[in-house]
Amino acid sequence: MGDVARWYAGRSVLVTGGTGFMGKVLLEKLLRSCPDIGKVYILCRAKRGLTPKARLAEFSKLPVFERLRKECPAQLSRLHIIEGDILQANLGIKDSDLLMLQEEVSVVFNGAASLKLEAELKENVAANTRGTQRLLDIALKMKKLVGIAKSQQQQQQQQQRKITDLYVLDRIGHALILFLLGWLLMKSVFLLEYLLQNATQGNFKLPFTSSTSVFMKT
C-alpha cells in the first residue's frame, strides 16, 4: 500500500461536483487506489422520482466504474449520496446529514462549479464564490478535518499552511469578489440611468472620466 492509500485509510471524504466529468474520475481513483478509505459522500441535487439509494445504484453503473465493478465491487458500497445544493444556505443539506458530516468527514474536495460562459456574472458568482464560501463554513465545523482541496495546483502550493489560514485567505478573496460585484452592478445601473437621462440631449460623455471618453458624440 502506498503513502497516499495509507493516508486515506479510515478517513471519510466529502466531494462536491462528484457527478461532473472530473468528479467521477476522482471518485473512481479514490475508491480503486485507496482500498481502506472510509465513506465517500457525494453532494448531489435532489432528482425528482429518485431516492438517494436509487440514484446511487444508477450512478454506480456508469462506464467510469467498470473496472471497479470487475476488480473490487465492494468498494462501491463506500459511496453515499448527500442531497444538497451549493446555491442554498448550508448547501441545502438537511440538519441530520449536516451533523453526520461534521462528525465523520476528514477531507473535502470542492469540485462544484458553474462553467457556463454565457451565464450572467451574478449567477456564476453565486455558484463559484458563494457556494465555495458556504462549503468552507461547513468544513471548518468538521471535527476530524485535515484537508480541503479546491484544485491540485492550489493544494500543492498551500499544503503546508494551516487549514484556518487557508480559510481566512479564501474568505478575504470571496469578500473582495462580492464587494466588487456589488460595486460593478451599482455602477452599471448608475451609468445606464445617466446615459438614458442625457441621450436626448446628445451628451454621451461618461460622468466619471477625466480628459477622454469612450462614449463621446462628435
Side-chain angles (χ1 to χ4, degrees), residues 31-48:
L31 292 172
R32 183 167 49 82
S33 301
C34 305
D36 295 327
I37 195 171
K39 296 177 181 178
V40 179
Y41 296 102
I42 315 166
L43 184 70
C44 297
R45 285 193 293 265
K47 199 168 184 179
R48 185 176 298 178

Side-chain angles (χ1 to χ4, degrees), residues 109 148-149 151-160:
F109 285 93
I148 303 174
S151 70
Q152 185 177 2
Q153 181 181 3
Q154 287 179 324
Q155 186 183 24
Q156 290 173 345
Q157 292 173 348
Q158 300 174 341
Q159 62 184 351
Q160 299 301 323

Side-chain angles (χ1 to χ4, degrees), residues 205 209-213 216:
K205 187 173 181 179
T209 56
S210 52
S211 58
T212 60
S213 175
M216 181 73 73

Side-chain angles (χ1 to χ4, degrees), residues 1 6 25 61 64 66 94 105 158 161:
M1 185 184 297
R6 278 195 295 269
V25 173
K61 294 177 182 177
V64 69
E66 183 177 356
K94 61 184 182 182
V105 171
Q158 300 174 341
R161 295 180 180 175

Side-chain angles (χ1 to χ4, degrees), residues 101-189:
L101 294 176
Q102 290 171 357
E103 291 290 333
E104 296 186 13
V105 171
S106 299
V107 184
V108 176
F109 285 93
N110 181 28
S114 172
L115 303 177
K116 299 177 182 177
L117 299 179
E118 73 280 5
E120 293 184 1
L121 178 61
K122 185 164 56 175
E123 180 182 335
N124 280 331
V125 168
N128 300 339
T129 303
R130 291 190 184 276
T132 301
Q133 182 177 324
R134 294 185 184 106
L135 179 62
L136 285 170
D137 289 338
I138 290 173
L140 264 292
K141 295 176 183 177
M142 294 174 177
K143 298 178 181 179
K144 299 179 181 179
L145 186 68
V146 294
I148 303 174
K150 295 187 296 181
S151 70
Q152 185 177 2
Q153 181 181 3
Q154 287 179 324
Q155 186 183 24
Q156 290 173 345
Q157 292 173 348
Q158 300 174 341
Q159 62 184 351
Q160 299 301 323
R161 295 180 180 175
K162 293 180 180 179
I163 292 174
T164 49
D165 293 340
L166 180 58
Y167 173 73
V168 170
L169 289 173
D170 281 338
R171 288 302 296 269
I172 292 173
H174 292 157
L176 179 60
I177 290 173
L178 294 174
F179 170 78
L180 291 175
L181 175 63
W183 178 87
L184 179 62
L185 292 175
M186 181 179 66
K187 185 68 75 174
S188 298
V189 172

